[in-house]
Amino acid sequence: MKQSEPHILVIFGASGDLTKRKLIPALYELHTQQFLPEKFAVLGVSRTNLPDDVFRTKMKEFLPQQPQLQESVDAFLEHLYYQKLSTSDAVEYPVLKARLGELGKSLSIPENYIFYLSTPPNLYQIIPESLATVGLNDKSNGFKRLIIEKPFGTDIKSAQALNKNLLNYFDEDQLYRIDHYLGKETVQNMLVTRFSNGIFEPIWNHNFIHHIEITSAETLGVEDRGGYYDHSGAMRDMVQNHLMQVVGLVAMEPPVIIEADAIRNEILKVFQSLRPIKETEVEKFVIRGQYTQSHIGKELVKGYREESGVDDHSRTETFLAIKFFIDNFRWAGVPFYIRTGKKLPARVTEVVIHFKNTPHHLFGNQAGTEPVSNQLVLRIQPDEGILLKIGMKVPGAGFRVQTVNMNFHYNELSDVYLPSAYGRLLLDCMQGDATLYARGDAVEKAWEFVQPILNAWQNNPDIPIYGYPAGTWGPEVTDDLMDDGLWRFPCKNLAHDGEYCEL
Ligand code: BG6
């Protein structure tokens, strides 16, 4: 594995949730795996005044607590520093530059910097601009990279404006738009499944595939994020970014090489081929829903509108199902479906490739035989793995056919270390590899696709938003969207399915 060059990682928004819950634990994980360079520092930046040691103590709470690990935790904490800064105030940036200079000198780290924007998006304008004003975008004397968290805009216009602003101060090759779905091992494995196996790629097209179903279900509701979510909804929160990236990987052509631009060019082509859903067609192709109060077991579960931070009359979708097409040679006529939602019966993310049936139903007249629908399930989480459903003869007289499962579970690879999504992505950025980061043009294309749907909802309040009781698979009308097939009802266990799952 390539070693990362010595550098300082600056985290803007160091007192925020993401830093504590994801970034610091991911960096610790990289430290324990010896993936961090020897000369490395993290500089947390935020408005509160904190000495370095207090910042370290605060971060320690989010690291493993087992006594036998304390030596390695303490060794990691030595790399953390803190700088008070009013991020929105351009005049304060010389202070940041001076601190970076001091740290670099005392730790012998050259001017290689990664700036992680873990802040509210309203600072995405001022931070890059202010960094540039003090020359912290200048890559001539060391790399300068900027990691940006979603949302990359809240609509097509703001996404374009954001990209334009970023490009005023940084080059595209310095920009790392993080989409943690691309950091998931199982999402990356979709490329390997497709392009390293001789058996799948020849049938990965409209001649053999009937339709493709992508489900990303969560059992949790909006928890304490009602204020944010009510202005976002499932389309902006999950579909425009995470699930469109998954579509990109499932549908793309083989890249010429495994390299950032080669892969991201192919993803872009998929987005360019999406058949637009016009505002007038939204009711036909998209179902939106919102969870309502219900009983799950004995527990009374709140409806979305009762959640804190949510408007009493909110029409924000917590569930979304969409049917769409990719108009190119490979996918002509193949429907793609995406279904995502909060407060569904299981936490599951998976892609299901539904293959066409055999041209002739040879065993159809055997009592008890149903046509076999071959499905390849690429399970992203949990119980990560791959499942193939095939027809098998039921032993005994006649030719009765039954569908059986062939499956592989990642946890069978007990000696293999599965990095966290953030760990993997941070490491890639440290090594200058943007393959698993979203590129600006693709982000805008994905917005172009979803924008008419958002417009239709905003302009036509008559488009229904269906209630669904918390703990169910969304509004019943979702079934009608899939006019030639049935949604899979996945369970937490990859090989199980059906409306009634183990809890
Ligand atoms: C985040 C969304 O980006 O992804 C959340 O803001 C969502 O609402 C989360 O719960 C899902 O991520 P994961 O990795 O748990 O599937």
Side-chain angles (χ1 to χ4, degrees):
M1 145 109 44
K2 192 173 133 193
Q3 255 305 332
S4 316
E5 289 177 50
H7 66 277
I8 302 180
L9 168 65
V10 180
I11 304 180
F12 289 97
S15 51
D17 227 39
L18 185 79
T19 305
K20 296 182 252 188
R21 297 195 188 284
K22 299 284 185 194
L23 304 183
I24 295 293
L27 288 167
Y28 172 69
E29 179 191 316
L30 294 178
H31 167 82
T32 56
Q33 297 293 323
Q34 296 177 339
F35 286 150
L36 295 179
E38 210 178 300
K39 294 183 190 309
F40 167 76
V42 174
L43 180 65
V45 170
S46 203
R47 220 176 314 162
T48 331
N49 198 2
L50 292 181
D52 292 340
D53 58 336
V54 178
F55 179 60
R56 290 176 186 172
T57 313
K58 279 180 180 285
M59 294 303 119
K60 194 171 180 173
E61 275 175 53
F62 298 88
L63 295 173
Q65 302 297 318
Q66 297 94 312
Q68 71 274 23
L69 295 177
Q70 289 321 293
E71 204 178 311
S72 103
V73 167
D74 290 339
F76 167 71
L77 290 171
E78 295 279 297
H79 293 278
L80 304 193
Y81 299 84
Y82 183 85
Q83 176 63 49
K84 171 188 177 306
L85 195 85
S86 170
T87 330
S88 55
D89 209 343
V91 295
E92 293 208 4
Y93 281 70
V95 177
L96 175 66
K97 188 171 183 181
R99 181 75 196 273
L100 285 170
E102 268 167 41
L103 275 179
K105 212 161 161 202
S106 64
L107 303 170
S108 311
I109 300 180
E111 292 176 38
N112 289 329
Y113 304 135
I114 297 178
F115 301 102
Y116 197 118
L117 270 52
S118 171
T119 64
N122 59 356
L123 295 172
Y124 289 2
Q125 163 100 25
I126 184 87
I127 297 177
E129 186 183 335
S130 309
L131 288 172
T133 315
V134 293
L136 285 173
N137 59 345
D138 178 4
K139 47 183 179 176
S140 60
N141 49 358
F143 66 70
K144 308 286 177 303
R145 299 176 186 146
L146 193 67
I147 304 186
I148 311 144
E149 270 289 331
K150 78 173 232 279
F152 313 124
T154 51
D155 57 17
I156 176 83
K157 283 220 177 87
S158 54
Q160 286 164 340
L162 172 64
N163 278 338
K164 190 158 174 271
N165 179 59
L166 293 170
L167 292 171
N168 280 337
Y169 307 109
F170 287 82
D171 295 331
E172 182 64 41
D173 67 8
Q174 294 176 286
L175 297 174
Y176 290 73
R177 295 174 194 78
I178 200 163
D179 185 312
H180 79 279
Y181 262 58
L182 291 177
K184 292 183 192 272
E185 196 62 35
T186 42
V187 171
Q188 294 153 29
N189 188 46
M190 293 196 303
L191 289 181
V192 176
T193 304
R194 288 191 55 196
F195 302 131
S196 73
N197 290 300
I199 58 171
F200 293 128
E201 201 44 31
I203 56 172
W204 208 266
N205 57 52
H206 66 101
N207 291 315
F208 299 93
I209 292 179
H210 185 267
H211 67 277
I212 292 185
E213 177 189 354
I214 299 172
T215 292
S216 182
E218 294 182 82
T219 47
L220 292 179
V222 290
E223 309 302 294
D224 51 3
R225 298 164 73 222
Y228 147 76
Y229 195 89
D230 211 30
H231 297 284
S232 166
M235 183 67 102
R236 291 184 171 92
D237 189 50
M238 288 297 294
V239 178
Q240 187 277 336
N241 33 65
H242 306 322
L243 300 180
M244 291 311 291
Q245 291 293 334
V246 171
V247 170
L249 296 183
V250 172
M252 71 196 249
E253 295 303 313
V256 179
I257 43 169
I258 293 295
E259 180 266 339
D261 268 330
I263 291 186
R264 299 189 307 172
N265 286 343
E266 297 307 333
I267 293 178
L268 176 67
K269 285 187 211 161
V270 172
F271 295 171
Q272 286 168 332
S273 319
L274 289 165
R275 186 188 301 170
I277 295 178
K278 300 195 195 89
E279 268 191 64
T280 48
E281 296 173 322
V282 167
E283 272 190 82
K284 189 168 153 211
F285 289 107
V286 192
I287 304 289
R288 56 175 173 164
Q290 193 183 81
Y291 61 85
T292 55
Q293 192 187 69
S294 84
H295 279 91
I296 301 184
K298 288 199 179 123
E299 195 195 339
L300 178 67
V301 180
K302 272 191 212 164
Y304 175 68
R305 291 180 186 178
E306 283 96 63
E307 301 276 15
S308 87
V310 172
D311 189 302
D312 293 349
H313 303 285
S314 171
R315 289 178 68 78
T316 299
E317 76 289 355
T318 61
F319 174 94
L320 171 62
I322 175 168
K323 174 181 181 176
F324 61 98
F325 292 89
I326 296 175
D327 285 337
N328 62 16
F329 263 55
R330 186 184 285 267
W331 296 115
V334 178
F336 281 69
Y337 297 90
I338 288 178
R339 172 181 57 166
T340 182
K342 302 242 181 235
K343 286 268 188 238
L344 301 187
R347 175 177 179 258
V348 167
T349 303
E350 65 178 26
V351 176
V352 188
I353 313 295
H354 294 261
F355 292 97
K356 288 185 175 171
N357 290 343
T358 50
H360 174 58
H361 197 180
L362 195 57
F363 306 106
N365 61 358
Q366 303 280 317
T369 283
E370 287 177 6
V372 172
S373 297
N374 292 128
Q375 295 173 12
L376 177 68
V377 182
L378 306 170
R379 174 59 76 90
I380 294 174
Q381 64 194 24
D383 195 11
E384 291 80 0
I386 287 187
L387 165 72
L388 183 64
K389 286 183 178 278
I390 52 173
M392 197 203 71
K393 180 180 177 301
V394 177
F399 281 94
R400 203 148 67 81
V401 180
Q402 186 189 330
T403 302
V404 295
N405 292 334
M406 283 174 66
N407 44 30
F408 157 74
H409 302 256
Y410 268 84
N411 60 13
E412 287 161 20
L413 305 172
S414 53
D415 55 340
V416 171
Y417 152 73
L418 281 185
S420 71
Y422 274 96
R424 166 66 202 251
L425 292 173
L426 280 167
L427 183 61
D428 281 4
C429 177
M430 291 173 185
Q431 301 189 339
D433 182 353
T435 308
L436 299 174
Y437 284 84
R439 204 171 61 189
D441 49 5
V443 169
E444 287 184 24
K445 270 284 160 213
W447 271 115
E448 232 174 75
F449 176 65
V450 305
Q451 191 63 53
I453 303 170
L454 295 169
N455 292 348
W457 288 342
Q458 185 167 353
N459 300 337
N460 307 300
D462 292 345
I463 298 180
I465 172 151
Y466 298 96
Y468 61 96
T472 64
W473 276 107
E476 270 181 43
V477 283
T478 309
D479 291 348
D480 304 338
L481 195 66
M482 197 175 274
D483 35 26
D484 188 12
L486 294 173
W487 293 95
R488 193 171 114 92
F489 292 111
C491 300
K492 71 175 183 196
N493 180 313
L494 169 63
H496 294 177
D497 51 17
E499 271 183 81
Y500 300 99
C501 288
E502 77 279 29
L503 294 174

